[in-house]
Amino acid sequence: MTGTPVVDPIIDFRARAEELLPEGASYDACLSCGLCSSGCPASGLEGMNPRQFIRMAMLGMNEELSTTPWIWTCTQCQRCTYVCPMSIDIPALVGMARGAWPWEKKPKGIVRSCQAQLRFSSTSAMGLRSEDFIEIVDEIAAEVREQDDRFKRLNVPIDKQGARFFINQNSREPAVEPEELGPLWKIFDYVGADWTYASKGWAAENFCMFTGDAAAWEEMVRKRVDAVNELGCKVWVNTECGHSFYTIWKGIQRFGLEANFELGNLISYYAQWIREGRLPVNSEWNRDNLKFTIQDPCQLVRKSIGDPVASDLRYVARKLVGEENVIDMQPCRSANYCCGGGGGFLQAGMTENRRAYGKRKFDQIMATQADYVLTPCHNCHSQMEDIGEHYGGHYRVVHYWTLICLSLGILGENERKYLGPDLAEIGLQS
Amino acid sequence: MQQKPRAYEVQLAVIGSGLAGFAASIFALERGLSTAQVGNTGAVAYTTGYLDLLGYHPVTGQQMLHDPWQGLETLRRDEPGHPYALIRNDEIADAFHLFTRAVSDMGVNYSAPGENNLAALTPSGTFKPTLSVPLTMLPGVEAHRRAARTRIVDILGLKGFSAREVVANLQDSWPGLSAVTINFPGMESGSQVYPEVMARALQVPAERELFAQQLREVAGDAEYLGLPAIMGIHEPDAVHNDLERLSGLRLFEIPTMPPAVAGIRLREAFEQIFPERGLLLIPQQKVDRVTPEADGTTLRLKDSYGDVSIHAQAVILATGRFLSGGLEALRDGVREALLNLPVTQPEGREAWYRERYFDPRGHLVNRAGIEIDPQFRPLGRDGKPASKRLFAAGVILAHQDWIRQRCGAGIAIASAYKAVESAAAMLTRQT
């Protein structure tokens, strides 16, 4: 990011803040108690914190707020709102401030990702076109069929009309690590799910939302909603990606889109399939009693579904690794901290700030002394790996799908890049 | 978008997530009632962590009560309308024991409530009478009693806690007291540091070693070090013990100004453990509407994910006072915010406050609140219970002045105990 932007028009933060207040609340009743700042990992970055932000808004310091680069270090994780006795929504103000920055001054990584999404019908932030996606999927599916007899009839449907589940896909796998696509397909195959990808609008990520440009966010969500409606699927399900859920769920409401389907999240389906006995996972493979902790993605837990999905994250984890081997980080569930990977922070090029933000997550993980962090979110995954390396942690970060397949004995040799040597050989077919 | 409505059926719904609400949930779970709790972050996040029973009576006397149980007997005679007049001493003692045991089980250990008040330190170097304190703070009571050589430590960048101020206020009665300022390892930039952030850092074994080293270097000949409350959030006693082991010193905590960790510890323990024990907890949300029905009461609210309804056989109102939104101060009087229950209050606004803020008689508006019957059922305008299903607990109750009497936690815990007992009896009669 370069320099201080010239923002025109400058936002009247106080007026916008008043509009955002819940009924009966008042900024006069803000005690300036500082619970927001105390609980915010971005406090102190760029000389700002949430309490200061809201007080400056009340004082009419609009120019300062319209130009502070702090808004790109705030991941809009809503932890401040969560602990505020007045439920004051500071992240919404941050979103407005982001939107008002001139495009050429916004962090380039976020802008480029959004532009890529707008350019292609795939809506992929990594610029992966639909035809490439289909080709990669076909190729990897053929490999899975070849490698494991049990999946020799594995089918990866694309554009299957009337399938029950519409599954989205984070671009990271097809673009960067296609071998990571297999585990989720195997799980669907195992439970006999009736599912499909789509050739358009399949991507999970939405960097347009992080630019603060509401129109671009809406366009992204609209394309995806249209894709699901066209295929007539009953349930849209996110992959293990936190913000992909929030962006479509919030976007449908915010922009009043017509969505003829339900929104489901993958973790709760894992939990349901385990309860129903369709995914007979167990923890016998964890012979060394390796310890696991859970990162609650803010976008899925605190910002969207809340406690029910936090409980499902734990239910699935305990089944997978053994009750006594799950050590919750503190705080957890809806009160968990953002890792600092979300909100576009990973792509914003502000590495030093991002790692300073992530120190709190690092401390949380280290306090558990866990060997592995389990998380169903790509941004969390990347950020926790990076801060682990930066601050000298020795934990590893894994997706749920990796452990589910490991436990079922169906994890291929090439699907283990995030597992340590301790698990590299477990359950491999000889 | 098709979103399934979320509707829950429980025996008991607790409205409010302050100390009274959480205490009610603890007692309800002990009784095996299926329970839901809803409420915006209560004032629990602002607590010192001390659990007061009764610190002063009569308040005008300004003499700390040594024996609060005796004080309660006098209080009942002098103030027959006080909520404590509806609860016996043995019931209050039971409630305190159950509550402190439950909280200790959740990882925040408390001293056992005893016969006498403890003189507990405040961040400004004064004492307050209280019944039970977190074990991380207890050695401070003992150090003072023994007038032991003690050094108060403050931290560069931490606002609202000054070791020099503590020492200045205490040095006459505590000659062996001294002050020192240190840097918290890794936070030496000089910008503001928060107790919560330091407490989280001290959860990490490696950070504890660095900090203990720091403490050893400044301890001098002190036997005790008094620190702002930063010794961990989750299971603070383990952090405390480990720091004592590493430093070879006796350590104690002094509460800090909000945002302080003592309250965050309690809130996070409740929020984490209740759902594990099967309680439906919807924190950070307010109930919008309460609708009485023939077979129960329905609570309606919105959380970030959408509409929620809870159908309950019994409801406990523990919504607190003005800060938490249980009471509203309007131009024409004080109103109970959720159900519009009648509020006992001074005639007219001009009678709310006395001329002088420190008037020893206190301010009348502080004793405003709702009326209850001996079963802790709020009274309607006709003086009869507003509903057989509705109970109330905490400082929303009238005829008490909890800040000046130092009885806020005691009223919360004891009235929650009684309200749950009455609700359980009603539920039993019903079946």
Side-chain angles (χ1 to χ4, degrees), chain B residues 251-317:
Chain B
L251 305 175
F252 64 85
E253 290 187 325
I254 301 170
T256 59
M257 304 286 285
V261 303
I264 297 173
R265 281 173 187 155
L266 290 178
R267 196 185 64 204
E268 286 186 3
F270 294 142
E271 285 185 3
Q272 189 180 346
I273 299 211
F274 281 159
E276 300 275 337
R277 295 192 184 163
L279 179 129
L280 171 70
L281 181 66
I282 305 182
Q284 323 308 343
Q285 304 300 333
K286 283 192 170 168
V287 172
D288 297 326
R289 208 146 38 91
V290 177
T291 318
E293 283 151 13
D295 60 342
T297 301
T298 298
L299 277 48
R300 290 196 172 75
L301 64 136
K302 257 190 176 42
D303 68 2
S304 62
Y305 201 51
D307 296 327
V308 180
S309 72
I310 299 168
H311 187 255
Q313 297 301 309
V315 174
I316 292 181
L317 187 71

Side-chain angles (χ1 to χ4, degrees), chain B residues 33-106:
Chain B
L33 301 178
S34 68
T35 306
Q37 188 182 351
V38 189
N40 206 328
T41 309
V44 75
Y46 300 137
T47 175
T48 53
Y50 297 153
L51 300 178
D52 304 343
L53 172 57
L54 182 64
Y56 294 92
H57 181 76
V59 179
T60 43
Q62 302 194 3
Q63 187 64 43
M64 261 189 214
L65 278 175
H66 180 60
D67 179 350
W69 304 101
Q70 183 59 47
L72 283 168
E73 303 289 357
T74 322
L75 174 76
R76 290 191 189 96
R77 278 202 305 278
D78 299 345
E79 298 181 18
H82 197 285
Y84 276 149
L86 295 173
I87 323 171
R88 297 192 313 265
N89 276 6
D90 63 305
E91 293 172 321
I92 297 175
D94 270 356
F96 259 87
H97 281 286
L98 273 175
F99 183 82
T100 50
R101 249 202 320 272
V103 174
S104 297
D105 283 349
M106 293 179 184

Side-chain angles (χ1 to χ4, degrees), chain A residues 24-330:
Chain A
S26 151
Y27 287 103
D28 297 337
C30 165
L31 304 168
S32 288
C33 74
L35 278 168
C36 51
S37 297
S38 164
C40 168
S43 273
L45 302 180
E46 301 289 343
M48 182 67 78
N49 64 53
R51 167 166 55 180
Q52 203 174 325
F53 196 91
I54 203 74
R55 296 328 296 173
M56 286 170 78
M58 292 305 110
L59 291 168
M61 298 170 76
N62 294 321
E63 196 175 334
E64 289 85 345
L65 293 184
S66 299
T67 54
T68 172
W70 182 75
I71 57 165
W72 303 102
T73 73
C74 161
T75 59
Q76 299 179 274
C77 79
Q78 284 186 1
R79 198 176 188 283
C80 53
T81 314
Y82 181 80
V83 296
C84 172
M86 299 299 299
S87 302
I88 289 172
D89 191 352
I90 300 167
L93 298 178
V94 167
M96 284 176 207
R98 285 185 174 202
W101 273 45
W103 277 93
E104 64 278 12
K105 294 284 185 184
K106 293 184 195 200
K108 291 191 174 46
I110 302 177
V111 168
R112 274 198 301 266
S113 297
C114 173
Q115 285 166 342
Q117 289 189 262
L118 292 167
R119 200 170 312 129
F120 302 111
S121 64
S122 65
T123 68
S124 161
M126 296 176 97
L128 197 66
R129 296 159 199 253
S130 291
E131 53 271 33
D132 300 332
F133 175 61
I134 294 170
E135 198 181 314
I136 292 165
V137 166
D138 285 347
E139 200 175 301
I140 299 296
E143 272 178 29
V144 173
R145 285 191 287 266
E146 197 174 310
Q147 274 168 8
D148 190 334
D149 263 3
R150 290 170 296 183
F151 296 100
K152 64 182 174 204
R153 274 187 283 277
L154 177 99
N155 182 25
V156 183
I158 296 184
D159 293 333
K160 181 182 171 191
Q161 198 69 32
R164 177 166 163 72
F165 298 120
F166 179 109
I167 306 294
N168 77 353
Q169 176 61 55
N170 191 294
S171 296
R172 181 164 113 177
E173 284 91 20
V176 182
E177 45 184 24
E179 66 283 2
E180 281 289 307
L181 286 163
L184 186 57
W185 301 345
K186 291 178 179 175
I187 294 169
F188 290 145
D189 190 75
Y190 205 97
V191 299
D194 174 21
W195 71 285
T196 187
Y197 282 139
S199 57
K200 48 187 183 181
W202 51 265
E205 64 279 4
N206 186 356
F207 289 87
C208 293
M209 177 171 75
F210 300 142
T211 65
D213 185 319
W217 174 6
E218 179 178 351
E219 189 176 334
M220 267 319 87
V221 177
R222 189 181 291 280
K223 279 184 183 166
R224 293 172 185 177
V225 166
D226 288 348
V228 191
N229 283 342
E230 268 174 40
L231 287 176
C233 297
K234 296 206 174 39
V235 189
W236 172 97
V237 180
N238 69 314
T239 183
E240 292 193 20
C241 167
H243 83 274
S244 71
F245 188 91
Y246 177 81
T247 191
I248 196 165
W249 165 71
K250 194 74 185 176
I252 288 170
Q253 291 182 331
R254 176 168 171 176
F255 307 117
L257 305 181
E258 194 184 326
N260 307 321
F261 49 87
E262 273 177 42
L263 297 178
N265 85 84
L266 189 57
I267 296 301
S268 297
Y269 278 105
Y270 288 159
Q272 185 186 324
W273 293 332
I274 292 171
R275 285 191 187 99
E276 292 170 352
R278 293 162 70 187
L279 269 186
V281 297
N282 63 63
S283 59
E284 279 159 28
W285 59 272
N286 191 8
R287 292 186 286 259
D288 298 335
N289 288 308
L290 295 168
K291 302 298 178 205
F292 290 76
T293 189
I294 299 164
Q295 160 65 357
D296 300 275
C298 313
Q299 304 269 7
L300 182 64
V301 180
R302 178 168 50 251
K303 290 181 72 171
S304 300
I305 303 169
D307 234 40
V309 71
S311 296
D312 285 341
L313 281 165
R314 282 154 184 81
Y315 172 79
V316 177
R318 286 169 186 158
K319 290 286 175 193
L320 282 172
V321 306
E323 186 98 19
E324 67 286 2
N325 294 323
V326 176
I327 315 284
D328 257 321
M329 60 176 81
Q330 300 295 333

Side-chain angles (χ1 to χ4, degrees), chain B residues 52-65 75 79 82 84 117 127-129 321 352-354 356-367 395 399-409 411:
Chain B
D52 304 343
L53 172 57
L54 182 64
Y56 294 92
H57 181 76
V59 179
T60 43
Q62 302 194 3
Q63 187 64 43
M64 261 189 214
L65 278 175
L75 174 76
E79 298 181 18
H82 197 285
Y84 276 149
N117 273 329
F127 291 99
K128 69 174 281 190
R321 297 181 72 76
W352 285 10
Y353 292 99
R354 299 192 195 273
R356 287 172 37 239
Y357 186 75
F358 290 112
D359 191 311
R361 294 168 298 171
H363 305 286
L364 289 177
V365 71
N366 292 339
R367 289 181 182 263
V395 291
H399 308 296
Q400 46 80 24
D401 191 354
W402 69 271
I403 295 180
R404 299 174 69 248
Q405 297 178 312
R406 294 278 173 240
C407 63
I411 289 178

Side-chain angles (χ1 to χ4, degrees), chain A residues 13-33:
Chain A
F13 281 92
R14 180 167 188 140
R16 305 301 294 271
E18 298 287 355
E19 292 165 16
L20 283 168
L21 267 184
E23 199 185 317
S26 151
Y27 287 103
D28 297 337
C30 165
L31 304 168
S32 288
C33 74

